Amino acid sequence: MTDSNNEAPHSNTASSGQGLMPLVKSMSAAEAAALLTQHPASTIAGVLVELNPALTQDILAALPSALADEVFGAVPSRTASQWRFNQKFAEGTIGRMMEPVVAVFAPEMTVAQTVEELRTLVKTAFITYGYVVDFTGKLLGVITMRDLLFSADDARLNTLMLRNAFALTPDLPLADAMKLVLDRHYPAYPVCDAQGVLIGLVRGQSMFQEQAFEITAQAGAMVGVEKEERLATRWSQSFKFRHPWLQLNLLTAFAAGAVVGIFEGTVEKLVVLAAFLPVLAGQSGNTGCQALAVTLRGLTLGELKPGAERMLVMKEAALGFMNGAFTGLIAALGMFAYATMQKSPHALMLAGVVWLALVGACVVSGICGAMIPLTLKRFGADPATASSIFLTTATDVVSMGLLLGLATILIKL
């Protein structure tokens, strides 16, 4: 509905930071702050005013307090005030991403008075729409440039404004805000407090940039790569981010190894089973990853409504059964052919074991792919964090356990 940029920074400040911009954008906030501390406050200010407001806040928080104060003094007062105000809100909320509101007008102003004021404002800010507020600052409506252009000079804004304007609240998490604006696609959104007072605006571009980063970070988070890690992250820091998750993965892998150890006698009697252990683990793992990806996407985009979790789990279980049944036929034929070549007297039985094990493993992996992120979310954890590590453990244990367990039972029969 509205779009407004901060005042343009001093030209020498902006130009001096242009060379740093690509590096800063490729780094985490902590690394960017460490880099920027080597430059004067004016250069840092020139960089920060060009960044996504959320990243700007993260970098400001990581700067030494004395240097941060110098940076505040190197930007226009309106920008500095907005930055300080944004710091009151939690990370990941709309309040951290707000920009100053420039085009603010009283409802009794005429079109001529508004246009005259806009001529001054556009020299320091890009303005698409204007906001109409009362004497307390409460948002009353929005004025479009089209209405100003085609209305009489003596027309008052309260007769032209768009009433009941859509607005966000500063404490609203970005993920929830994205659900609200999904079908609106405005260039910017007013931000109002609980009393409806206009306190800032957030650009749609900034919201989508930040949300896009969160989504791309999920793929790494599922295997223990922190979202703070970038291509430019130092190897020592990358090691610190990744290694603990690999240790966790090693511990969970012991569970799958323990299953094989329990059925060591069966493997010794039916060596052909060893060749099909990775087949079942890989197939069931892929089935689980598909369910996991769809569930994470639904959680991120707000498509999973409250109460729909049971239907999602049932759907993934059904898909696991159908996929396991059809892929299991091919795997069973492969086992029959391989066991026959090995002159095993249990070729037909082993083929049946492979089919049953693959069907069961795919059903369980589909359920786990949906349940793991839902469970993490219910306990307040990030649904993407290390999900695939736990999913891999579950699918490996189930697939190997079913194959070796069924084979053991049928051999005894």
Side-chain angles (χ1 to χ4, degrees):
M1 291 166 40
T2 65
D3 191 13
S4 172
N5 290 332
N6 297 344
E7 304 97 325
H10 303 298
S11 58
N12 60 341
T13 299
S15 59
S16 61
Q18 290 303 312
L20 291 172
M21 195 70 65
L23 286 175
V24 171
K25 288 183 176 180
S26 67
M27 294 177 171
S28 67
E31 291 173 328
L35 172 64
L36 292 174
T37 53
Q38 305 172 23
H39 299 271
S42 59
T43 300
I44 299 174
V47 172
L48 295 186
V49 295
E50 298 295 333
L51 297 176
N52 186 300
L55 179 56
T56 295
Q57 288 298 318
D58 293 340
I59 294 176
L60 284 171
L63 289 175
S65 57
L67 180 57
D69 290 337
E70 293 182 30
V71 173
F72 283 122
V75 296
S77 58
R78 183 185 286 111
T79 302
S81 298
Q82 189 68 57
W83 282 358
R84 291 186 185 278
F85 184 64
N86 290 2
Q87 291 179 340
K88 299 178 181 180
F89 301 100
E91 183 178 354
T93 61
I94 291 298
R96 296 275 286 195
M97 307 176 65
M98 289 190 300
E99 297 181 9
V101 184
V102 178
V104 180
F105 308 104
E108 64 273 7
M109 290 180 62
T110 64
V111 169
Q113 292 172 329
T114 303
V115 172
E116 186 63 29
E117 188 170 332
L118 281 170
R119 288 195 178 101
T120 302
L121 293 176
V122 295
K123 295 178 182 179
T124 58
F126 178 77
I127 300 172
T128 305
Y129 301 104
Y131 297 100
V132 181
V133 301
D134 62 15
F135 69 96
T136 65
K138 186 175 181 179
L139 180 64
L140 299 178
V142 173
I143 289 293
T144 67
M145 296 301 138
R146 181 180 182 278
D147 289 334
L148 293 176
L149 178 63
F150 292 106
S151 299
D153 289 345
D154 59 350
R156 297 188 181 278
L157 297 187
N158 57 7
T159 65
L160 304 176
M161 65 183 183
L162 303 174
R163 301 176 184 274
N164 301 318
F166 173 80
L168 298 171
T169 55
D171 56 350
L172 188 68
L174 175 61
D176 294 338
M178 290 299 297
K179 299 173 187 177
L180 296 176
V181 306
L182 196 60
D183 298 323
R184 289 185 167 88
H185 304 292
Y186 301 149
Y189 303 88
V191 182
C192 300
D193 63 15
Q195 288 71 43
V197 175
L198 182 64
I199 59 175
L201 64 84
V202 58
R203 287 190 284 174
Q205 179 184 1
S206 297
M207 294 175 61
F208 280 97
Q209 284 177 346
E210 186 68 11
Q211 184 70 0
F213 175 64
E214 292 293 332
I215 294 175
T216 57
Q218 286 184 352
M222 287 192 296
V223 291
V225 175
E226 300 288 342
K227 68 177 182 180
E228 289 82 5
E229 184 178 346
R230 308 288 184 90
L231 289 176
T233 300
R234 296 190 305 273
W235 70 267
S236 56
Q237 192 67 21
S238 296
F239 177 81
K240 181 180 178 181
F241 282 147
R242 301 184 190 184
H243 188 70
W245 292 109
L246 293 177
Q247 290 286 4
L248 175 62
N249 186 54
L250 179 62
L251 290 175
T252 57
F254 285 147
V259 171
V260 178
I262 292 174
F263 296 101
E264 183 178 355
T266 301
V267 176
E268 291 177 353
K269 295 178 181 178
L270 299 172
V271 181
V272 291
L273 289 173
F276 277 76
L277 287 175
V279 175
L280 266 72
Q283 193 64 30
S284 60
N286 288 336
T287 301
C289 286
Q290 289 175 340
L292 178 63
V294 172
T295 304
L296 285 174
R297 184 182 301 160
L299 290 172
T300 301
L301 299 178
E303 296 174 344
L304 186 61
K305 305 302 179 184
E309 294 86 356
R310 178 175 296 182
M311 289 300 299
L312 172 64
V313 173
M314 292 176 62
K315 172 187 173 183
E316 294 302 335
L319 286 171
F321 176 82
M322 289 187 289
N323 288 325
F326 286 104
T327 56
L329 288 176
I330 305 300
L333 289 174
M335 170 57 87
F336 181 78
Y338 182 67
T340 301
M341 287 189 295
Q342 296 295 320
K343 298 183 173 20
S344 172
H346 307 292
L348 185 60
M349 179 202 69
L350 290 174
V353 166
V354 167
W355 185 85
L356 288 172
L358 191 53
V359 171
C362 286
V363 170
V364 173
S365 63
I367 294 174
C368 290
M371 287 294 296
I372 287 175
L374 293 176
T375 303
L376 288 173
K377 182 180 180 181
R378 176 167 295 183
F379 284 97
D382 182 0
T385 302
S387 291
S388 68
I389 292 177
F390 297 113
L391 177 63
T392 300
T393 301
T395 55
D396 285 352
V397 169
V398 171
S399 60
M400 294 180 183
L402 281 175
L403 179 63
L404 297 177
L406 288 172
T408 300
I409 293 172
L410 293 176
I411 288 174
K412 291 181 178 180
L413 296 177

